[in-house]
Amino acid sequence: MATDRFCGCFFVLCLTTLGLSSNAVAKPRVIPLQTSVAFSSRSPESHWSVPVKASDGSTVYVLSLEPDFDVEHHAVTLELVLRHSGDKTDAPNLLDPTGRRHGLQAYDFAANDLARGVQKSAFGEKRTVSLKSLGLVVRIVVSKASVSPISAGNYQLDALDLQVEVDNLDP
């Protein structure tokens, strides 16, 4: 009887330890990243990305700024995207942990939203995205945004400058 109880407790302890170690693997500590990104509609290079490295030096995520174009190829929105290293470009954006994105988000930079200025935009100049499931926080500062009209009430992004920081969430 005592042996059964001991085996049961040992089994629960092993499962708990396994669960805790798998959480540690799922949330690698990253080397804090501070970077700048500048988008210009005049530049032929519209894609920007930077690796986010774990404390062991391996690349665990890739942070990128991806444009969304209208049918006339105007950059109408830029989206800050975080993906696991090695993910394909159509993999989900980890900045949207729900996967049920609806409407404008703090990591979106829509020309129509920025038309009245960064301070009057939906999320303002300073934006924070906390990713508890990844143990990360992403802080974004919009230092410059310029747009121009493409039709009545619709705008395109001409330039966007961001300061982006990726850090570990404090436990």
Side-chain angles (χ1 to χ4, degrees), residues 85-113:
S85 177
D87 277 357
K88 294 184 179 184
T89 57
D90 61 349
N93 185 353
L94 298 173
L95 294 177
D96 177 21
T98 66
R100 293 176 273 150
R101 177 185 164 152
H102 181 71
L104 195 61
Q105 304 296 320
Y107 49 84
D108 289 327
F109 307 93
N112 288 351
D113 181 49

Side-chain angles (χ1 to χ4, degrees), residues 8-22:
C9 288
F10 182 74
F11 182 70
V12 168
L13 179 63
C14 288
L15 286 178
T16 303
T17 303
L18 203 87
L20 290 175
S21 67
S22 68

Side-chain angles (χ1 to χ4, degrees), residues 14-158:
C14 288
L15 286 178
T16 303
T17 303
L18 203 87
L20 290 175
S21 67
S22 68
N23 277 349
V25 171
K27 296 183 200 179
R29 301 282 295 169
V30 299
I31 299 170
L33 170 72
Q34 292 183 338
T35 188
S36 301
V37 57
F39 168 84
S40 171
S41 62
R42 299 176 200 272
S43 172
E45 181 61 38
S46 62
H47 188 77
W48 169 90
S49 67
V50 65
V52 179
K53 299 199 176 266
S55 54
D56 67 1
S58 64
T59 299
V60 286
Y61 304 107
V62 175
L63 186 67
S64 60
L65 190 63
E66 299 179 2
D68 183 25
F69 298 101
D70 67 4
V71 294
E72 295 176 4
H73 206 69
H74 299 112
V76 293
T77 305
L78 292 170
E79 179 181 8
L80 192 64
V81 176
L82 182 71
R83 291 192 179 97
H84 290 286
S85 177
D87 277 357
K88 294 184 179 184
T89 57
D90 61 349
N93 185 353
L94 298 173
L95 294 177
D96 177 21
T98 66
R100 293 176 273 150
R101 177 185 164 152
H102 181 71
L104 195 61
Q105 304 296 320
Y107 49 84
D108 289 327
F109 307 93
N112 288 351
D113 181 49
L114 295 166
R116 296 181 304 136
V118 174
Q119 276 71 19
K120 292 182 180 178
S121 66
F123 294 96
E125 175 186 7
K126 296 181 180 180
R127 306 163 182 219
T128 302
V129 180
S130 294
L131 303 167
K132 293 180 184 175
S133 63
L134 298 177
L136 297 175
V137 62
V138 179
R139 294 180 190 90
I140 307 159
V141 177
V142 183
S143 51
K144 175 185 170 187
S146 63
V147 301
S148 60
I150 52 176
S151 65
N154 291 310
Y155 296 84
Q156 72 175 351
L157 280 160
D158 295 325

